[in-house]
Amino acid sequence: MANVVVIGAQWGDEGKGKITDLLSNSADMVVRYQGGVNAGHTVVVKGQTFKLHLIPSGILYPSTECIIGSGTVIDPKVLIQELDQLDALHISTENLLISSTAHVTMPYHRLIDQASEERRGDHKIGTTKRGIGPTYADKSERTGIRMIDLMEPESLRKLLHWTVTHKNAVLEKLYDLPPLDPEAVIQEYLGYAERLRPHVVDSSLRIHEAIRQRRNILFEGAQGTLLDLDHGTYPYVTSSNPVAGGACVGAGVGPTMIDRVIGVAKAYTTRVGEGPFPTEQLNEMGELLRDRGAEFGTTTGRERRCGWFDGVIGRYAVRINGLDCLAITKLDVLDELAEIQVCVAYDLDGERCHELPTGARQFAQCRPVYKTLPGWQQSTADCRSLEDLPAAALNYLKFLAELMEVPIAIVSLGASRDQTIIVEDPIHGPKRALLYDRAQPIGLRGEATHSAAIRAIEV
Ligand code: IMP
């Protein structure tokens, strides 16, 4: 038995969908623990593309139980669209369970998200405008609507009447928007409730039962470490906790129940929305990465900002999540480059800086210090083992593992399931023993201390 958390180690969109899809093969249960329809997974199976926002991609395996956990926020309209999409493809959704304590995104949340972004002007976050922040804000303010409330029509009527009237004052007075009709909202959500009722359960209890039965559970994070509300690049973050610790809170399990934490990082970096991005390439290189990597948002279709791999945030992600290993995705996107840059440190006010600064102003002033590595200029798309990789590609991976002091367990070279190198089973293989090996140091690290290793790399 192994309970595994999979998280994004950058700013989201690392390709977690593909990795969780692969790992779901050996999972009995997949639990999504935070976020809402701001997320988007694209999974390609047998040439068919699935775009999912809320439902874990594990649903594609007939016997895997999928849970949308307590820490998520649920837009029932979108969730029902996803259920319909899967039904149309004859994919069973019987195994989908929804936490009764997850909060519900309401029409006023979406309106407030859109209106407040417009009001922010230069200070905008670049949200997905799906109402995520306002839904979590109401949760914290204790005026949220939960799935369990949807299940009780009479009390829901009273609750929604009061809440919609209260939110109308905000819409009208603060944002000059027309009010919502409380009765129309009540009718709409009562309809959603009936469709979703068969799926709503006490999810923490179901997860606990699965743990007692020694079933394998995969906890799937949405977004990424740098978008974490507490540990990300605040204020340019989402409103939940994508970090590994968020799995315990968002799923309702104790930390002692987690066996492994796997991070997913792209072989370069992307970011959607506003906020500093030290390795961003606002040039032809950025465009090349965007074109080759098809870097457009699954949810909003926005162009993703693209840049070189940032080892400082990579190391930070290893620390904040306690990563056991990494999956590196989209290595093939770098195939045609003659040289590849990796950020190994920042220059901040003339000082060399190896850790992510906690202040937004300081982070905005960080300039990347690069190490240039040779490219391999040949296709890796058909490589299926480390031995198949060109020497420079293997060298690049070893360099990343050394830099972040974390082993790489999986390498992904394309969207489909088979375009993958499993270096070592990330769930059942020995902990911390893949590619990066303390006993057999690779490359520049040797027995050097933490910061000395980085200094060596910079030379
Ligand atoms: P929100 O989550 O819609 O409030 O957006 C807050 C920030 O998180 C914005 O910069 C979004 O672009 C970013 N964001 C939210 N969800 C995702 C995601 O799934 N991938 C990448 N960025 C995301």
Side-chain angles (χ1 to χ4, degrees):
M1 196 259 327
N3 297 327
V4 178
V5 181
V6 176
I7 59 92
Q10 295 160 320
W11 275 289
D13 307 318
E14 297 92 349
K16 293 179 296 295
K18 171 170 167 177
I19 303 302
T20 48
D21 173 56
L22 280 172
L23 299 177
S24 299
N25 195 14
S26 46
D28 302 304
M29 179 182 265
V30 180
V31 183
R32 166 91 185 266
Y33 59 83
Q34 46 70 231
V37 298
N38 47 352
H41 289 329
T42 308
V43 185
V44 182
V45 184
K46 293 187 185 143
Q48 237 182 342
T49 303
F50 297 86
K51 285 188 194 284
L52 299 170
H53 299 285
L54 267 170
I55 301 180
S57 49
I59 201 75
L60 303 177
Y61 292 96
S63 59
T64 306
E65 219 166 22
C66 289
I67 296 201
I68 303 178
S70 180
T72 63
V73 290
I74 295 176
D75 186 328
K77 189 177 178 179
V78 179
L79 178 54
I80 290 168
Q81 282 165 1
E82 286 184 30
L83 287 169
D84 289 345
Q85 181 200 338
L86 292 168
D87 285 349
L89 295 165
H90 305 293
I91 293 167
S92 170
T93 52
E94 254 177 49
N95 282 338
L96 179 73
L97 302 174
I98 304 167
S99 171
S100 55
T101 51
H103 279 246
V104 181
T105 297
M106 305 296 296
Y108 47 79
H109 291 136
R110 283 191 296 269
L111 291 169
I112 291 171
D113 196 3
Q114 287 156 18
S116 77
E117 273 286 274
E118 274 156 37
R119 283 285 168 89
R120 279 169 182 265
D122 288 347
H123 299 285
K124 72 173 182 207
I125 306 294
T127 73
T128 59
K129 299 188 180 169
R130 298 299 192 267
I132 305 301
T135 313
Y136 278 113
D138 278 2
K139 175 178 175 174
S140 300
E141 208 203 6
R142 291 149 296 170
T143 52
I145 312 284
R146 304 194 298 171
M147 286 305 297
I148 188 76
D149 300 319
L150 287 199
M151 299 300 113
E152 293 163 5
E154 274 324 298
S155 53
L156 179 69
R157 277 184 170 280
K158 285 191 203 129
L159 184 61
L160 276 186
H161 210 279
W162 180 86
T163 315
V164 175
T165 309
H166 171 71
K167 291 292 174 183
N168 275 343
V170 177
L171 291 174
E172 288 184 284
K173 296 201 172 103
L174 198 58
Y175 295 114
D176 290 327
L177 289 171
L180 293 165
D181 173 3
E183 193 50 37
V185 176
I186 291 167
Q187 287 309 324
E188 182 185 349
Y189 277 71
L190 283 174
Y192 297 150
E194 285 323 303
R195 173 76 197 273
L196 297 177
R197 185 181 295 281
H199 299 278
V200 177
V201 295
D202 177 344
S203 59
S204 161
L205 186 59
R206 292 295 271 260
I207 298 166
H208 194 72
E209 282 164 358
I211 291 172
R212 284 169 68 104
Q213 290 160 9
R214 304 187 70 75
R215 296 166 75 201
N216 296 319
I217 305 175
L218 189 66
F219 297 91
E220 174 183 349
Q223 291 87 41
T225 304
L226 276 296
L227 288 173
D228 187 273
L229 180 61
D230 290 85
H231 302 287
T233 46
Y234 192 89
Y236 302 102
V237 293
T238 191
S239 301
S240 63
N241 290 109
V243 296
C248 292
V249 181
V253 299
T256 49
M257 301 297 139
I258 307 293
D259 299 300
R260 292 214 174 196
V261 183
I262 302 173
V264 184
K266 266 180 205 164
Y268 50 99
T269 312
T270 63
R271 175 163 206 181
V272 198
E274 306 299 317
F277 177 1
T279 62
E280 182 170 20
Q281 296 298 298
L282 293 165
N283 52 29
E284 282 177 6
M285 183 52 67
E287 279 166 32
L288 184 144
L289 293 172
R290 187 176 308 118
D291 286 350
R292 278 196 53 101
E295 297 295 354
F296 299 91
T298 316
T299 302
T300 58
R302 287 182 291 179
E303 277 188 359
R304 294 181 187 142
R305 301 157 63 191
C306 297
W308 297 119
F309 191 91
D310 186 333
V312 181
I313 68 166
R315 293 167 67 86
Y316 179 74
V318 173
R319 164 159 65 91
I320 288 289
N321 296 293
L323 293 187
D324 286 304
C325 63
L326 263 182
I328 295 287
T329 61
K330 293 193 158 186
L331 184 72
D332 57 301
V333 171
L334 307 180
D335 277 354
E336 64 186 52
L337 304 183
E339 287 186 333
I340 302 167
Q341 313 234 60
V342 177
C343 169
V344 294
Y346 296 145
D347 188 326
L348 176 57
D349 298 330
E351 300 268 325
R352 201 47 68 85
C353 165
H354 297 106
E355 301 294 340
L356 188 76
T358 50
R361 189 188 59 77
Q362 288 84 347
F363 184 51
Q365 284 166 2
C366 283
R367 300 288 163 260
V369 176
Y370 288 117
K371 165 92 178 168
T372 303
L373 296 170
W376 43 95
Q377 297 190 288
Q378 55 179 289
S379 173
T380 55
D382 296 327
C383 296
R384 296 292 176 270
S385 71
L386 289 184
E387 292 72 45
D388 295 343
L389 284 175
L394 186 58
N395 185 47
Y396 182 69
L397 292 172
K398 285 181 176 176
F399 184 82
L400 298 188
E402 281 294 308
L403 180 61
M404 290 180 285
E405 297 186 271
V406 72
I408 293 170
I410 300 175
V411 183
S412 169
L413 306 143
S416 61
R417 279 180 183 166
D418 65 327
Q419 289 179 303
T420 311
I421 299 175
I422 305 288
V423 182
E424 191 149 353
D425 180 340
I427 299 180
H428 302 104
K431 274 177 94 111
R432 291 191 161 265
L434 329 162
L435 250 180
Y436 170 77
D437 187 341
R438 280 172 200 277
Q440 294 174 6
I442 300 160
L444 292 159
R445 186 171 174 277
E447 290 301 307
T449 59
H450 187 81
S451 58
I454 296 299
R455 274 199 292 279
I457 285 166
E458 284 167 29
V459 170

